[in-house]
Amino acid sequence: MDQQQRRRWLIGALLQERTEQPRLQAMPIPEGEAEQKQLLRALFNIRPPMPASQEFLAVQNAYLQQETRRKGVTDLSDLAPVQPGLYLWQGDITTLRCDAIVNAANSRMLGCFCPNHGCIDNAIHTFAGVQLRLECARQMERQGHEEPTGRAKITPAYNLPCRYVLHTVGPVVHGRVTPTDERLLACCYRSCLELAEANGLHSVAFCCISTGEFHFPGRRAAQIAVDAVRQYRRRTQSSMEVVFNVFKDTDRELYQALLQPGAAAAGH
């Protein structure tokens, strides 16, 4: 199969799964590539955590891996650190090859079910494949309760170029940022680093946890992120390589200022 054939096959298979929605099952597949991609992503997003056939996984895996190659993979080894062990990289975190990337999850830990939503949780689950939601559901079923804010879990990355995904739930800000919000955000970074170390990983890429949909102000969130990582590395003498991944120009500028030589950490 070529990519178009895989895409049409996957759309058809996902539509046929919707047995509770006969009208959706009968939906015609759009002819345009962009419309097909949008529909496929939406169907991935709304699919509940359940097993898939080996045939489905084989077609899906080939499709997603080719899509990632088309976007272009960035290898950590090709990046230059801004400080020893610390990197700043602007780009799509789902295309970064390192040991682990961090997902800003919600407390259900099942990914974003909103079709074609722009959050990082949606992107990571989309391009990892349906296996990721199922693995998260298994972990959450064993846990028996929603994920507490500031903790972290690890899963395989499946079709992403990284090896693992670290899922952490950041604080949701309502109005002004509180000291509890700040403490919990710092806990997210520490929990991810501790979990990475416990699993023998050597590199982690952090997204901008709790900004965006969770409304943590970007400037303060960046300061907490850099402080938490520096403090962890200092306290543990860790050699973990840490990438601060940003997507927006404004976030890149914030981290550039914080990571430039001689920039003082807040509270020190």
Side-chain angles (χ1 to χ4, degrees):
M1 292 186 188
D2 61 21
Q3 279 300 82
Q4 182 182 30
Q5 291 169 327
R6 292 186 187 111
R7 187 165 55 246
R8 293 183 68 93
W9 189 95
L10 289 168
I11 291 171
L14 290 167
L15 287 173
Q16 289 309 303
E17 284 184 344
R18 312 300 298 188
T19 55
E20 80 289 0
Q21 296 175 289
R23 291 179 62 184
L24 190 58
Q25 284 186 306
M27 175 187 293
I29 298 176
E31 290 301 320
E33 179 180 349
E35 292 79 6
Q36 288 179 7
K37 287 185 175 182
Q38 187 175 43
L39 176 57
L40 179 56
R41 180 165 181 164
L43 291 170
F44 278 142
N45 297 158
I46 65 175
R47 187 180 191 272
M50 60 184 187
S53 70
Q54 289 303 309
E55 182 182 18
F56 180 93
L57 293 178
V59 176
Q60 175 212 245
N61 294 353
Y63 177 80
L64 291 175
Q65 290 169 26
Q66 179 60 31
E67 285 297 289
T68 297
R69 286 192 291 270
R70 181 191 60 78
K71 290 188 290 185
V73 173
T74 298
D75 198 293
L76 176 60
S77 63
D78 293 329
L79 302 181
V82 292
Q83 291 184 16
L86 300 180
Y87 299 76
L88 175 60
W89 179 66
Q90 185 176 20
D92 178 354
I93 201 170
T94 67
T95 65
L96 182 62
R97 181 179 287 121
C98 59
D99 282 350
I101 64 172
V102 173
N103 178 30
N106 58 54
S107 61
R108 292 180 64 200
M109 295 287 277
L110 297 180
C112 172
F113 283 83
C114 182
N116 294 291
H117 194 256
C119 68
I120 190 69
D121 199 14
N122 187 294
I124 286 174
H125 274 266
T126 296
F127 292 102
V130 300
Q131 304 97 308
L132 181 55
R133 179 167 284 168
L134 181 59
E135 173 58 24
C136 288
R138 288 169 174 157
Q139 291 197 25
M140 294 306 289
E141 184 176 5
R142 289 195 297 269
Q143 179 166 286
H145 57 81
E146 291 193 345
E147 183 74 358
T149 303
R151 300 273 294 279
K153 280 187 165 46
I154 187 169
T155 66
Y158 299 103
N159 291 292
L160 298 171
C162 58
R163 294 170 57 204
Y164 297 95
V165 179
L166 304 173
H167 307 259
T168 190
V169 182
V172 181
V173 173
H174 302 283
R176 296 183 63 181
V177 176
T178 68
T180 298
D181 294 329
E182 296 182 334
R183 177 181 59 80
L184 288 171
L185 183 58
C187 283
C188 290
Y189 288 88
R190 287 195 298 271
S191 294
C192 288
L193 291 167
E194 289 166 357
L195 188 57
E197 296 268 19
N199 283 273
L201 307 188
H202 302 289
S203 58
V204 173
F206 284 102
C207 62
C208 299
I209 302 168
S210 274
T211 59
E213 294 297 313
F214 283 13
H215 307 299
F216 210 110
R219 184 177 301 277
R220 186 66 187 122
Q223 182 73 71
I224 291 168
V226 172
D227 285 355
V229 169
R230 281 175 170 158
Q231 290 166 12
Y232 177 86
R233 286 167 56 85
R234 202 161 44 236
R235 175 172 57 85
T236 64
Q237 298 298 300
S238 173
S239 59
M240 182 75 65
E241 293 189 293
V242 176
V243 180
F244 295 104
N245 165 247
V246 298
F247 196 73
K248 298 185 295 186
D249 290 343
T250 51
D251 288 326
R252 186 195 70 240
E253 292 163 4
L254 290 173
Y255 278 91
Q256 281 176 334
L258 290 166
L259 292 169
Q260 66 182 348
H268 293 284

